[in-house]
Amino acid sequence: MAITPEQAIANYTFWLTFFTAILGIATVWLAIYTTHLALGAKDTATRQLRAYICDVSGMAVLESGMIKVVIDLKNSGQTPAYDVEVYCDPPVITQQNARPFDQACKFAPVKTIIGAGSEFQLTRFVTQITADDLYSIKNGICALFVWGRVNYTDAFKKRRHFVFRCIATGPTHDGWKLIPHQDGYEADSVL
């Protein structure tokens, strides 16, 4: 049986409509998938590029009848940390099982900018130190506690924070090394 021209046009129109619909559905799916990829890439770029402030080391040394505490903070991110505010009161000497970290900061913050890959050194002093204090620290009765908070703005204009809680429990050959307290550190979420 021969196909009439009208049937041929009808068949052609049917298949053209069918393939156009499939193409349209595929285009919508690709647009949704591409949008999802673009949003994911933005999140990944933010995670990889933003500023990350953390402490990299800390030491306490006896110097001129005082205990000098030095904490090195580092921006390990690939962009600067802006509007940095570092809150940290003088260290406290108290019983090793104490938890003095909930005290509100009494001093104004140190304000700065920390460049990508750069460090910032924070120094605090215990000015009234007694022989009993030194004896108690050296013999594990008391410990030196240092804590603070760093607030900063990353390159994406998002406010972030890092809270450190350190303890020094005994001397080494060149002072007392600050280590993280069992309560640990705290930082905002990645995004």
Side-chain angles (χ1 to χ4, degrees):
M1 166 160 56
I3 297 179
T4 66
E6 290 82 17
Q7 289 175 327
I9 291 174
N11 285 343
Y12 173 78
T13 303
F14 170 78
W15 289 110
L16 181 65
T17 304
F18 177 76
F19 286 117
T20 301
I22 289 176
L23 189 59
I25 292 168
T27 301
V28 169
W29 180 82
L30 281 173
I32 292 169
Y33 186 74
T34 302
T35 302
H36 178 69
L37 281 176
L39 292 174
K42 180 183 176 200
D43 292 345
T44 299
T46 300
R47 272 191 235 102
Q48 290 178 349
L49 294 175
R50 80 170 187 89
Y52 286 92
I53 303 283
C54 62
D55 76 325
V56 289
S57 66
M59 185 64 85
V61 294
L62 189 60
E63 188 176 279
S64 303
M66 297 185 291
I67 295 179
K68 177 182 175 182
V69 176
V70 178
I71 300 170
D72 293 317
L73 299 170
K74 182 175 183 174
N75 176 1
S76 57
Q78 296 183 33
T79 56
Y82 300 100
D83 303 321
V84 179
E85 298 174 324
V86 182
Y87 295 87
C88 182
D89 282 350
V92 172
I93 298 171
T94 188
Q95 298 292 316
Q96 270 201 17
N97 61 354
R99 194 182 174 284
F101 307 121
D102 293 331
Q103 299 175 23
C105 193
K106 299 174 191 91
F107 293 88
V110 175
K111 296 185 178 190
T112 189
I113 294 173
I114 303 176
S118 297
E119 290 188 14
F120 175 79
Q121 197 168 72
L122 180 66
T123 304
R124 292 291 182 259
F125 293 93
V126 178
T127 55
Q128 297 178 354
I129 184 84
T130 66
D132 287 341
D133 289 334
L134 290 175
Y135 175 84
S136 295
I137 294 172
K138 287 179 183 177
N139 291 298
I141 300 165
C142 288
L144 179 73
F145 292 86
V146 184
W147 67 96
R149 180 181 175 102
V150 182
N151 296 326
Y152 60 99
T153 302
D154 67 15
F156 301 94
K157 308 266 189 266
K158 183 162 181 181
R159 277 308 267 174
R160 305 209 176 259
H161 73 273
F162 170 69
V163 175
F164 57 94
R165 300 176 190 96
C166 301
I167 185 171
T169 57
T172 62
H173 66 281
D174 57 350
W176 299 292
K177 182 163 179 54
L178 293 178
I179 59 172
H181 186 268
Q182 66 185 8
D183 285 0
Y185 295 161
E186 184 182 310
D188 58 327
S189 63
V190 174
L191 289 177

